[in-house]
């Protein structure tokens, strides 16, 4: 758990004063204006500020500098190290772009600066591109003492995006040039940001599943019901009805109505809803809506792999790139990485893994939840009725390992698992078995930045208990899932997991430093009770060992729905107990029946709450944070809640949970206050400028937009004060679900990240399976009866064909809990791969006729009461138990 999420603001990024100095002072003093009103009115308002983050309280963005320099905020100033021996002042620049100038207006530039080696700099306000025509071109002498500098000039021409450039090159000695309090006042007040929300009729722009709920939202001032019409592509009315007035939606401050056309099941494309004289974006009603999203959302991970060239044949021509961070200059990592100074005396090869997000850091605590949710996506196909495995299987996805006999989704997971294991402290070193929290650049890099061109030194940061438990959990899950495919790798995962668990128990409170955020995210987490629970759950499920069972049952989180899946949030990288609960609830394990029931009721209770949120909220979203506190990456919270709902649907077969997942999808794909689809390539108004150092088309038109299937972080209530310069400039005072900008600079609302695309991948698989309509009609019944004896048990399995067609040959699969191994078997061909067991017929019982049954049996190595085998599947489809 992380007590301080969302993060505490780092300071105001942009000060655009809209009140007079006296009024501002009055506001600071608590709002009592004691000076005569006339005096305040007479005082001229200061001219508008055109510089963003001029006091560097929000970090370095949006300042930039030339690649031959490095810069960072030190003691509240932006300090740039300029190299020796450049020829001209403009060979080294630190500057800011996108400054609007109005012809004829007068501007005042002020700043202070120091230079360790005194030098003359050029201070220009100019065009940002050739011919760099300047409105101000001054020479300033900068020494070791900070002296305020002021220049006044008049703009010659209207410029949308001028540049302020401090040209500090040309010196024969290296110097450190530090800037502070940069201000450029004058010109027109920047316009107040009005989001373009398009049509007030809000729908899922991808569409609706034929058998699912179909609801939308209308923004209108009307307070009485209004007629709506669903139109087919040819303009004919497919259905009509009246809206239900809902009042003011607190997440958007919009007055809204809802409408419902669930009764329509006719498939087609190009549907629209018309209401209040307005027309929605077009959408489809089809079963295969999410067919491509399954693969696209997973392709995200290959596209963000570190340490491997991205192949045009797999990723698409425009996304091909050389391998990043393989120790080839100018890269300084990741094959031989030192620790931060003073942290350790060894270096590690930590190549591989996925880049975290828009940045190119690699953080174990975020890799952990992301890789777990990919493995969950696969593991669901072993346990859930109607979960399709072929579309995640070998040859199904765009990964270089296709054709190696291993399901492609596991190949992708392995890329991260290998990296995480490389982050483990080697035997013989202090804190051996613990795991380094993260590896990233020593300083933040700017946008764009191709991974293979990153010149920064990479550094290992101290090990933490949270990272160690992330490895314990993810590697334990790895051990059971890879056992059928690669026994050596599975064993390596198991050893890494057990070693990590032991190390975490020995060092249970080694926390990440919340201040360790230069060059990468902090991912600080002040409470690891939840990571202990998750790791224990995965280790217990894989090994069946009692020590993990005891750890689970002793945890304060065990059985506590509110703690595991908080009603106003849900699981996330800082709160991971839910991952363990979902595993225990779905994957066969040795928990006593009463405990298993308790765990499952945690899932269904949480899902019930999220389902009600989709009914109660006017935009149908299964996410209702207290005070509308939409957090950083809120879309991933929505998706993680959808995973809980999907799991409850899998466990119970109840449509109410499935319907709530579908309403969550509606929100993400356009039924929301901004009329925005948050997934690239899906929906008419989809995000396309997510914050990313390679997919930075907005910064450099030669670079691509994100590929289809990339999820934007989404609305973030605290974005305006988080340091995000775009959010500070445009979103101050925003309504929660509208605190979003499809802008490449808005990292607090529009980043992409592995832990956000991972739940999208899980949900995409679920939605595609739901569209396929698998689930209801079960055509077999399985009875699974175990009888314990002193050193093992005997199990008889009976499978009955309750359908109307013969099944030949039949094949049954299920999972054995914990460490159980098959012994003697009879009346069928039984094989065990890891925990997966398959039973195939012998020649004499090959055909299972309608109404007929077959019996077979086995002895296994573990004593004790009959364990629940979970879902038993006949030829890939689940049977009814009992
Ligand atoms: O996802 C993280 C979110 O929970 C935090 O509030 C936020 C600020 O600390 O950081 C997010 O993670 C970012 C990480 O620190 C660096 N890589 C990009 C991540 C997504 O924005």
């Amino acid at each position: 758990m992380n007590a301080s999420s969302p993060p505490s603001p780092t300071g105001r990024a942009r000060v655009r004063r809209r009140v007079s100095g006296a009024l501002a002072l009055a506001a600071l003093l608590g709002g009592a204006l004691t000076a005569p009103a006339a005096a305040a009115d007479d005082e001229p308002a200061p001219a508008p500020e055109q510089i963003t983050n001029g006091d560097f309280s929000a970090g370095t963005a949006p300042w930039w500098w030339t690649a031959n320099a490095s810069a960072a905020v030190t003691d509240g100033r932006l300090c740039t190290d300029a190299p020796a021996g450049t020829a001209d002042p403009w060979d080294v620049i630190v500057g800011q772009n996108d400054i609007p100038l109005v012809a004829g207006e007068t501007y005042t530039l002020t700043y202070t600066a120091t230079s360790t080696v005194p030098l003359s700099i050029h201070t220009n306000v100019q065009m940002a591109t050739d011919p760099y025509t300047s409105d101000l071109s001054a020479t300033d002498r900068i020494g070791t003492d900070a002296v305020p500098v002021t220049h006044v000039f008049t703009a010659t021409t209207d410029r949308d995006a001028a540049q302020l450039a401090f040209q500090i090159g040309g010196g024969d000695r290296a110097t450190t040039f530090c800037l502070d309090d940069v201000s450029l006042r004058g010109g027109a007040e920047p316009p107040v940001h009005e989001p373009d929300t398009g049509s007030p009729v809000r729908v899922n722009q991808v569409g609706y599943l034929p058998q699912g709920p179909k609801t939308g939202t209308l923004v209108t001032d009307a307070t009485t019901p209004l007629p709506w019409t669903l139109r087919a592509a040819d303009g004919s009315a497919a259905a009509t009805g009246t809206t239900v007035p809902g009042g003011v939606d607190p997440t958007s401050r919009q007055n809204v109505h809802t409408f419902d056309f669930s009764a329509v099941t006719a498939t087609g494309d190009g549907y629209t809803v018309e209401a209040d004289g307005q027309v929605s974006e077009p959408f489809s009603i089809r079963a295969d809506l999410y067919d491509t999203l399954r693969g696209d959302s997973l392709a995200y991970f290959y596209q963000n792999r570190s340490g491997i060239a991205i192949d045009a044949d797999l990723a698409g021509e425009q996304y091909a790139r050389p391998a990043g961070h393989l120790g080839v200059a100018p890269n300084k990592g990741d094959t031989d990485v030192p620790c931060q100074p003073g942290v350790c005396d060894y270096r590690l090869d930590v190549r591989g893994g996925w880049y975290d997000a828009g940045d190119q850091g690699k953080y174990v605590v975020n890799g952990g939840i992301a890789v777990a949710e990919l493995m969950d996506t696969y593991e669901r196909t072993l346990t859930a009725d109607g979960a399709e495995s072929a579309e995640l299987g070998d040859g199904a996805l765009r990964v270089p390992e296709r054709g190696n006999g291993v399901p492609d989704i596991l190949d992708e997971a392995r890329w991260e698992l290998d990296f995480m294991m490389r982050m483990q402290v080697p035997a013989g070193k202090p804190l051996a078995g613990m795991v380094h929290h993260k590896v990233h650049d020593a300083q933040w890099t700017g946008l764009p930045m191709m991974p293979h061109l990153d010149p920064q030194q990479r550094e290992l940061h101290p090990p933490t208990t949270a990272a160690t438990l992330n490895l314990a959990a993810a590697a334990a899950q790895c051990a059971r899932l890879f056992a059928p495919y690669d026994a050596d790798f599975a064993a390596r995962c198991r050893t890494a997991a057990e070693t990590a668990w032991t190390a975490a128990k020995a060092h249970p409170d080694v926390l990440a430093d919340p201040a360790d955020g230069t060059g990468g995210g902090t991912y600080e987490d002040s409470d690891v009770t939840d990571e202990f629970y998750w790791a224990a759950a995965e280790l217990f499920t894989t090994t069946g060992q009692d020590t993990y069972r005891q750890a689970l049952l002793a945890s304060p989180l065990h059985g506590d729905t509110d703690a595991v899946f908080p009603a106003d949030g849900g699981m996330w990288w800082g709160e991971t107990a839910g991952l363990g609960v979902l595993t225990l609830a779905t994957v066969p394990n040795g928990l006593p029946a009463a405990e298993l029931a308790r765990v499952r009721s945690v899932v269904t209770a949480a899902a019930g709450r999220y389902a009600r949120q989709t009914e109660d909220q006017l935009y149908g979203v299964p996410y209702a944070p207290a005070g509308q506190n939409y957090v950083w990456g809120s879309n991933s919270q929505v998706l993680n809640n959808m995973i809980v709902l999907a799991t409850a649907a899998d466990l119970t077969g109840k449509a109410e949970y499935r319907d709530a997942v579908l309403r969550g999808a509606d929100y993400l794909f356009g039924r929301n206050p901004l009329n925005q689809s948050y997934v690239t390539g899906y929906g008419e108004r989809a995000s396309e400028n997510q914050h990313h150092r390679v997919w930075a088309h907005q910064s450099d038109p030669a670079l691509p937009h994100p590929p289809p299937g990339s999820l934007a972080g989404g609305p973030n209530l605290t974005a305006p004060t988080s340091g995000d310069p775009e959010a500070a400039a445009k979103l101050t005072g925003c309504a929660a679900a509208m605190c979003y900008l499809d802008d490449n600079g808005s990292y607090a609302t529009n980043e992409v990240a592995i832990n956000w695309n991972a739940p999208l991948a899980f949900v995409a698989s679920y939605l595609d399976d739901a569209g396929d309509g698998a689930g209801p009609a079960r055509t077999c019944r399985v009875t699974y009866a175990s009888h314990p004896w002193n050193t093992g048990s005997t199990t008889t399995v009976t499978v009955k064909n309750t359908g109307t067609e013969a099944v030949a040959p039949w094949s049954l699969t299920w999972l054995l809990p914990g460490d159980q191994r098959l012994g003697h078997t009879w009346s069928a061909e039984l094989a065990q791969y890891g925990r997966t067991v398959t039973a195939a017929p012998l020649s004499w019982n090959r055909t299972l006729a309608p109404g007929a049954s077959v019996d077979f049996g086995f002895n296994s190595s573990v004593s004790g009461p009959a364990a629940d085998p979970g879902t038993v599947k006949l030829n890939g489809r689940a049977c009814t138990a009992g």
Side-chain angles (χ1 to χ4, degrees):
M1 265 173 280
N2 181 316
S4 61
S5 172
S8 54
T10 49
R12 286 186 58 85
R14 185 165 198 156
V15 187
R16 276 186 203 278
R17 254 186 248 165
R18 288 164 202 269
V19 289
S20 73
L23 282 169
L25 181 64
L28 269 178
L29 294 175
L33 188 63
T34 47
D41 287 347
D42 288 349
E43 196 175 305
E49 178 60 78
Q50 306 297 346
I51 293 292
T52 299
N53 190 25
D55 62 0
F56 308 103
S57 61
T60 60
W63 293 90
W64 56 268
W65 47 92
T66 44
N68 55 356
S70 60
V73 177
T74 309
D75 297 333
R77 304 186 304 158
L78 181 69
C79 293
T80 306
D81 289 326
T86 53
D88 293 301
W90 51 86
D91 288 338
V92 187
I93 304 177
V94 48
Q96 180 168 132
N97 287 354
D98 296 328
I99 301 168
L101 295 182
V102 178
E105 291 279 344
T106 297
Y107 294 84
T108 304
L109 172 72
T110 52
Y111 70 94
T112 64
T114 59
S115 178
T116 50
V117 175
L119 83 167
S120 288
I121 67 164
H122 286 184
T123 304
N124 287 7
V125 176
Q126 58 184 23
M127 286 174 71
T129 52
D130 206 20
Y132 299 102
T133 311
S134 60
D135 296 86
L136 168 71
S137 181
T139 303
D140 299 326
R141 187 77 194 154
I142 307 297
T144 50
D145 293 331
V147 177
V149 181
T150 300
H151 296 290
V152 178
F153 66 96
T154 301
T156 54
T157 316
D158 281 345
R159 300 194 199 286
D160 291 343
Q163 172 181 89
L164 167 62
F166 295 100
Q167 302 179 344
I168 59 174
D172 44 9
R173 291 166 61 193
T175 187
T176 300
F177 173 81
C178 295
L179 262 179
D180 202 2
D181 296 328
V182 188
S183 163
L184 179 65
R185 286 188 178 277
E189 187 76 53
V192 174
H193 173 70
E194 283 292 341
D196 162 21
T197 55
S199 168
V201 190
R202 306 288 160 72
V203 295
N204 181 332
Q205 296 162 17
V206 174
Y208 297 85
L209 295 181
Q211 308 309 326
K214 299 173 194 70
T215 38
T217 301
L218 169 69
V219 182
T220 175
D221 289 337
T223 52
T224 53
L226 295 171
W228 57 260
T229 305
L230 172 73
R231 293 201 185 280
D234 65 3
S236 62
T240 57
T242 47
T243 61
V244 178
V248 174
D249 161 45
T251 73
S252 62
R253 304 182 203 127
Q254 296 165 342
N255 189 67
V256 300
H257 296 195
T258 56
F259 53 89
D260 188 330
F261 53 104
S262 302
V264 179
T265 57
T267 57
D269 300 318
Y271 280 106
T272 51
V273 172
E274 209 175 288
D276 213 10
Q278 307 278 340
V279 181
S280 74
E281 295 300 331
F283 59 89
S284 304
I285 299 180
R286 314 175 66 93
D288 60 358
L289 288 178
Y290 299 105
D291 190 31
T292 55
L293 183 63
R294 188 190 314 240
D296 284 347
S297 58
L298 286 165
Y300 174 94
F301 294 89
Y302 171 60
Q303 296 261 9
N304 283 287
R305 282 194 194 181
S306 177
I308 187 173
I310 302 307
D311 182 353
D313 288 344
L314 293 167
E317 202 68 55
Q318 53 182 333
Y319 298 106
R321 59 171 172 82
H325 300 101
L326 272 188
V328 179
N331 282 169
K332 299 186 187 126
D334 289 347
T335 53
D336 186 27
V337 182
C339 282
Q340 284 175 305
V343 167
C344 74
D345 66 356
Y346 51 85
R347 301 167 82 97
L348 291 181
D349 177 351
V350 291
R351 70 181 73 197
W354 304 310
Y355 295 124
D356 189 57
D359 64 325
Q360 289 153 14
K362 301 191 296 193
Y363 312 86
V364 171
V365 288
N366 212 39
I369 184 171
V371 77
E373 291 189 343
L374 250 55
M375 289 190 284
D376 288 348
T377 306
Y378 171 75
E379 197 156 32
R380 178 174 172 267
T381 69
L382 303 178
T383 63
D385 188 9
E388 170 69 60
S389 56
E391 290 189 44
L392 304 169
D394 193 28
L397 301 178
R398 284 158 270 160
V399 294
E401 298 82 6
R402 63 211 313 264
N404 67 353
V406 178
D408 285 346
I409 190 169
L410 291 185
D411 287 325
E412 192 58 68
R414 181 172 178 160
W415 193 260
E416 182 71 5
L417 289 161
D418 267 325
F419 155 72
M420 288 172 66
M421 288 194 276
R422 289 171 188 271
M423 293 287 279
Q424 197 160 26
V425 177
K429 297 292 179 189
L431 299 177
M434 296 279 283
V435 176
H436 287 277
H437 197 66
K438 52 180 187 167
V439 53
H440 61 68
D441 293 330
Q443 302 291 339
W444 285 104
T445 59
L447 245 69
M449 174 62 73
M450 298 300 281
H452 68 288
L453 297 179
D454 173 9
Q456 284 288 327
Q457 178 61 52
R458 308 275 278 185
E459 288 174 338
L460 291 166
H461 294 244
T464 61
T465 310
T468 305
L469 290 166
N470 268 261
L471 178 67
Q477 189 173 13
C478 161
R480 64 176 182 266
L481 294 181
F482 277 85
Y485 301 105
D486 185 336
D488 290 346
F489 182 63
R492 205 148 67 71
C493 281
R494 181 166 173 165
T495 303
E498 290 174 332
T499 307
W501 173 266
T502 307
K505 292 293 280 185
H507 306 282
D509 51 9
V510 182
L511 303 179
D513 176 358
D516 185 15
T518 302
T522 56
Y523 283 110
E524 90 266 21
D525 188 343
S526 55
D527 182 348
V528 293
T529 320
D530 53 311
E531 281 82 6
F532 268 111
Y533 189 85
W534 173 33
E538 298 300 339
L539 279 157
F540 177 62
T541 304
T542 297
T543 69
Q545 284 176 13
D546 198 51
T547 140
Y548 306 118
R549 189 178 65 98
Q550 285 177 19
L552 286 173
L553 299 186
S555 168
L557 299 175
H558 186 63
D560 185 342
T561 307
D562 291 334
V564 173
F565 299 117
D568 76 339
M571 58 183 178
W572 55 291
W573 65 261
E575 182 117 35
T576 55
L579 295 167
V581 168
L582 294 177
T583 291
L584 293 172
T586 55
V587 183
N589 59 69
L591 274 188
E595 292 301 335
L596 184 61
R598 195 156 164 231
V599 165
R600 288 187 174 161
S601 74
V602 167
V603 177
T604 49
R609 228 153 37 179
Y610 298 142
R612 276 193 299 284
Q613 292 170 356
T614 72
E615 304 269 8
D616 296 346
Q617 301 205 91
L618 295 159
Y619 277 103
V621 56
Y623 175 57
Q628 280 82 49
N629 184 17
Y630 276 54
V631 295
W632 193 307
S634 65
N635 284 338
S636 74
Q637 292 301 146
V638 174
L639 282 159
N640 279 330
N641 292 352
M642 288 161 76
I643 290 181
V644 177
L645 286 160
T647 305
D650 284 342
L651 286 172
T652 65
K654 286 192 183 164
E656 65 191 83
Y657 301 130
R658 183 207 61 173
D659 289 354
V661 182
L662 296 176
R663 285 193 208 98
D666 296 345
Y667 168 86
L668 293 170
F669 294 109
R671 185 199 176 191
N672 56 51
L674 290 172
N675 198 7
Q676 179 81 29
S677 167
Y678 290 108
V679 180
T680 311
Y682 287 82
E684 296 292 317
R685 292 168 47 91
S687 300
E688 58 173 12
N689 290 311
Q690 286 97 323
H691 178 81
H692 193 273
R693 277 167 173 67
V694 177
W695 307 331
H697 181 83
Q698 211 183 346
S699 307
D700 177 352
L703 293 172
H705 290 290
S710 304
L711 176 80
N716 173 357
L717 184 64
T718 58
T721 52
S722 68
D724 174 333
E726 297 298 328
K730 298 198 179 114
L731 294 178
T732 301
C734 52
M738 300 182 80
C739 299
Y740 170 80
L741 294 168
D742 184 20
D743 190 301
N744 170 303
S746 182
Y747 58 81
T749 76
N750 203 30
E751 195 157 353
V752 288
I754 53 174
N755 64 317
W756 303 343
N757 244 72
L760 178 67
F762 183 105
V763 165
S765 265
Y766 177 85
L767 291 171
D768 194 26
D769 292 337
D772 291 342
R778 298 191 175 194
T779 55
C780 48
R781 181 179 310 126
V782 163
T783 318
Y784 187 94
S786 287
H787 301 287
W789 25 277
N790 51 348
T791 59
S793 61
T794 296
T795 301
T796 308
V797 183
T798 306
V799 56
K800 178 172 184 179
N801 181 352
T802 54
T804 53
E805 286 172 23
V807 184
W810 55 268
S811 152
L812 219 57
T813 52
W814 69 96
L815 299 179
L816 274 186
D819 259 354
Q820 264 191 49
R821 306 297 309 170
L822 285 183
H824 177 60
T825 69
W826 56 94
S827 301
E829 197 71 66
L830 270 80
Q832 181 173 11
Y833 309 95
R835 306 183 50 242
T836 310
V837 175
T838 63
L842 302 175
S843 57
W844 54 268
N845 60 5
R846 188 172 178 278
T847 300
L848 192 49
S853 301
V854 286
D855 293 319
F856 60 88
F858 60 90
N859 289 340
S860 63
S861 59
V862 171
S863 180
D868 179 353
T871 304
V872 180
K873 288 189 171 184
L874 175 64
N875 293 12
R877 296 292 307 276
C879 300
T880 309

